Amino acid sequence: MANKEITKKQFEFLEHEFNYLEKEGVISQQEKVRMLDSYDVKGNLSFITILLSIGALLLGLGVLTFVASNWIYLSKAVKFLLIIACLSGVNFAGVKVQVRFPKTSRSLHYAGILIFGAGIFLIEQMFNISINFNSSFLLWAIGTVFIGYYLKDVFVLLFTSFLLFIYINGSIFVDETSYPLAILVFLPALYIMLKKFDYPKYLTFFINALAINTIALFLMEFVPKLEFENSNTIVLSILFVLGIVLAYIPVRAKLQDITHIQGHILHGITALFLTFDFSIWFPLAYFVFLLYLILKGSLTSIVIICALIFRYYIYSFDFLPKSLTFIIGGIMLIGFGFFFENQRKKGGKLNE
């Protein structure tokens, strides 16, 4: 049987409880040791890792500010060689010390990623290369994704996702010819790496969010070109359905919680906007749907109901005292709280 990975805090709790059972004579010392040996403590961010990461950040920023402050005094050849030398130097040093000092090696590669990104912008400026700013972030992401895969580093891939968010959303502010088609290559690659990394929680969340962002952007780009009368409503409706699908789509166990919560958030946000486009029947039907989800144990749906109450609170001034709106909302939430507490006492399970 493979050892189960738990956090340091969880391990300390188990150790405390097993010590108690040993003291009371329920288990022997050998049994306590054997049970504790069944667990491995997950690697947390150590002081050394934090120190080296901050050091890498300062090193990268130091190189960049030095170059930037002396930029006008340097020739183009010196500027270019300086960028290449810094980039090659830190990455080469990272590879050389990787076996003996893996954490130091990783921090040097972090500094290399920062220098690589800054180098892209400085070279554009040096040679007067005119490209859209979001394309620069795409180039930066291309470099970081390879380093992230080489290092098997979740944080580098999270940073890659952040760069891609800027890339695809930046296309809104530039002309149509710069539409972010490259994301269609990136997303499958990121999901393949996600599988290889065994679906880390935060990386899964960001890559899913990137995929949803991409779909929303595509719909916003292409649906208006079909010249429908209410293209915005169509886009919101498609995203609303997508949210419902994500909330219930069968996926791997490790992906399930994150994907389902993101689905609830997506249909919740789009439903709020759709209440402005549809008649009162839509919000009423959606409210009933949310009550059904709450009965199934969905805590996210309570947050959506709060947002729905607040949305109608804004328009309640003319026909309903605002204090009454708060009272109704408060009674509802207390009722939900009582329901969940009662379910928990009966052994019921909450979904989120």
Side-chain angles (χ1 to χ4, degrees), residues 113-114 116-118 120-121 133-147 155-171 180 183 186 190 206 210 213:
I113 288 171
L114 291 177
F116 174 65
I120 290 172
F121 291 100
F133 79 96
N134 61 329
S135 298
S136 304
F137 283 92
L138 174 64
L139 293 174
W140 197 352
I142 291 173
T144 58
V145 76
F146 284 112
I147 295 175
F155 294 106
V156 174
L157 290 178
L158 281 175
F159 184 65
T160 305
S161 302
F162 171 73
L163 295 176
L164 291 173
F165 270 112
I166 298 176
Y167 163 62
I168 63 172
N169 291 296
S171 68
I183 195 68
F186 257 103
L190 288 174
F206 272 93
L210 187 65
N213 192 168

Side-chain angles (χ1 to χ4, degrees), residues 137-204:
F137 283 92
L138 174 64
L139 293 174
W140 197 352
I142 291 173
T144 58
V145 76
F146 284 112
I147 295 175
Y149 181 74
Y150 168 72
L151 297 175
K152 301 290 185 292
D153 192 305
V154 172
F155 294 106
V156 174
L157 290 178
L158 281 175
F159 184 65
T160 305
S161 302
F162 171 73
L163 295 176
L164 291 173
F165 270 112
I166 298 176
Y167 163 62
I168 63 172
N169 291 296
S171 68
I172 296 173
F173 303 102
V174 295
D175 59 80
E176 293 182 357
T177 56
S178 64
Y179 193 76
L181 289 173
I183 195 68
L184 300 182
V185 177
F186 257 103
L187 275 176
L190 288 174
Y191 273 108
I192 290 171
M193 280 188 268
L194 189 66
K195 184 179 179 182
K196 287 184 177 294
F197 288 16
D198 199 24
Y199 306 104
K201 187 182 295 184
Y202 297 113
L203 187 59
T204 302

Side-chain angles (χ1 to χ4, degrees), residues 282-341:
F282 174 77
L284 286 176
Y286 185 63
F287 185 77
V288 172
F289 174 64
L290 291 176
L291 290 179
Y292 166 76
L293 293 181
I294 290 172
L295 291 175
K296 291 291 184 183
S298 172
L299 296 177
T300 310
S301 300
I302 293 180
V303 179
I304 301 172
I305 281 186
C306 290
L308 202 60
I309 290 171
F310 182 74
R311 174 254 185 273
Y312 281 98
Y313 162 79
I314 297 173
Y315 290 92
S316 67
F317 183 78
D318 294 334
F319 59 92
L320 187 69
K322 290 186 182 298
S323 56
L324 185 58
T325 310
F326 281 120
I327 292 171
I328 294 173
I331 291 173
M332 288 176 59
L333 292 181
I334 291 171
F336 291 146
F338 171 77
F339 170 76
F340 282 125
E341 187 178 15

Side-chain angles (χ1 to χ4, degrees), residues 238-255:
I238 294 173
L239 291 175
F240 175 75
V241 174
L242 176 64
I244 300 286
V245 171
L246 285 176
Y248 292 98
I249 190 171
V251 291
R252 291 173 180 272
K254 284 200 167 185
L255 291 170

